[in-house]
Amino acid sequence: MKQKGVSFLEVIVVVGILLIVSSFITPSIMNWRAKRSLESDYLALLSTVDFIKTRVRTINGTGVLICRSPTQLTYQISSNPQSLASSVSANFSSNLLEDPSSTDVNFNVLSGESTIVSTICSAGRGVFASSGLAATEGGGAIDIEINRGGDRTKVGAYRVLVNQTTGFVQKYRWKEGGNAWVEQD
């Protein structure tokens, strides 16, 4: 008589092989997902900076980029014009046109999985004036690095540097093998 089906031993061997193969594949998939999420946050940061610069020039106002925590970034736009970008004028808040955090307290430009490394998280906000000037409060260029968990060596990092005088945005990617920033187009 012929026996049909599979034996218990055959099932155990197949399950063991699948577990071994998945243990090699899972870390690669996790790193890939982390890199894609970081890249998505980088593109969201670039889009937000470009939006603020364009909106501020269009309405002849002022915009600020605000770091609420090392993982949360938001912005505000005011119709109050100002010529300097080293501080926010007293009339800024009374003339707010856009403040996404006022309608959604959990609003975040980023996914919440990336970490922001910048003086705007510790020393003040990033200020954009309609004249094209951009700086952190108190002076200095807007320089924002985003990475995963404060470590750029695991899945890389991105950096956005906004020129104080012209508002020109320089974009960098962390070169993992070379331990250096590489400028992007």
Side-chain angles (χ1 to χ4, degrees):
M1 181 166 158
K2 280 189 158 186
Q3 188 178 14
K4 294 184 178 183
V6 294
S7 70
F8 181 69
L9 182 60
E10 291 170 327
V11 170
I12 294 297
V13 168
V14 169
V15 169
I17 291 170
L18 289 174
L19 287 173
I20 290 170
V21 169
S22 69
S23 70
F24 290 114
I25 293 173
T26 301
S28 297
I29 291 173
M30 298 299 269
N31 278 347
W32 178 81
R33 290 183 71 206
K35 285 181 181 183
R36 295 300 72 83
S37 176
L38 181 64
E39 183 179 2
S40 176
D41 283 345
Y42 165 68
L43 295 173
L45 173 61
L46 286 175
S47 295
T48 302
V49 167
D50 284 340
F51 170 74
I52 293 171
K53 286 174 36 180
T54 303
R55 183 81 168 117
V56 162
R57 287 188 179 186
T58 303
I59 64 167
N60 192 29
T62 306
V64 293
L65 194 58
I66 305 164
C67 178
R68 297 220 186 272
S69 75
T71 58
Q72 188 178 21
L73 191 68
T74 187
Y75 67 91
Q76 293 176 332
I77 295 178
S78 172
S79 61
N80 182 62
Q82 61 183 64
S83 57
L84 298 176
S86 57
S87 64
V88 178
S89 73
N91 295 329
F92 178 85
S93 296
S94 60
N95 294 311
L96 274 182
L97 296 177
E98 294 181 37
D99 182 6
S101 296
S102 67
T103 55
D104 179 8
V105 293
N106 296 319
F107 176 81
N108 192 357
V109 169
L110 308 176
S111 67
E113 296 175 10
S114 296
T115 304
I116 305 163
V117 180
S118 175
T119 54
I120 66 170
C121 289
S122 57
R125 303 169 285 190
V127 183
F128 296 85
S130 60
S131 61
L133 298 176
T136 57
E137 283 183 305
I142 298 173
D143 189 359
I144 303 169
E145 175 187 338
I146 57 172
N147 56 46
R148 299 291 282 205
D151 183 9
R152 63 174 75 128
T153 59
K154 287 183 181 176
V155 293
Y158 290 95
R159 182 177 171 207
V160 174
L161 178 62
V162 183
N163 185 293
Q164 288 179 267
T165 309
T166 63
F168 178 75
V169 177
Q170 291 176 279
K171 303 167 264 192
Y172 299 92
R173 182 181 53 81
W174 183 253
K175 186 175 181 183
E176 295 173 45
N179 289 332
W181 290 108
V182 177
E183 191 166 6
Q184 303 210 263
D185 303 350

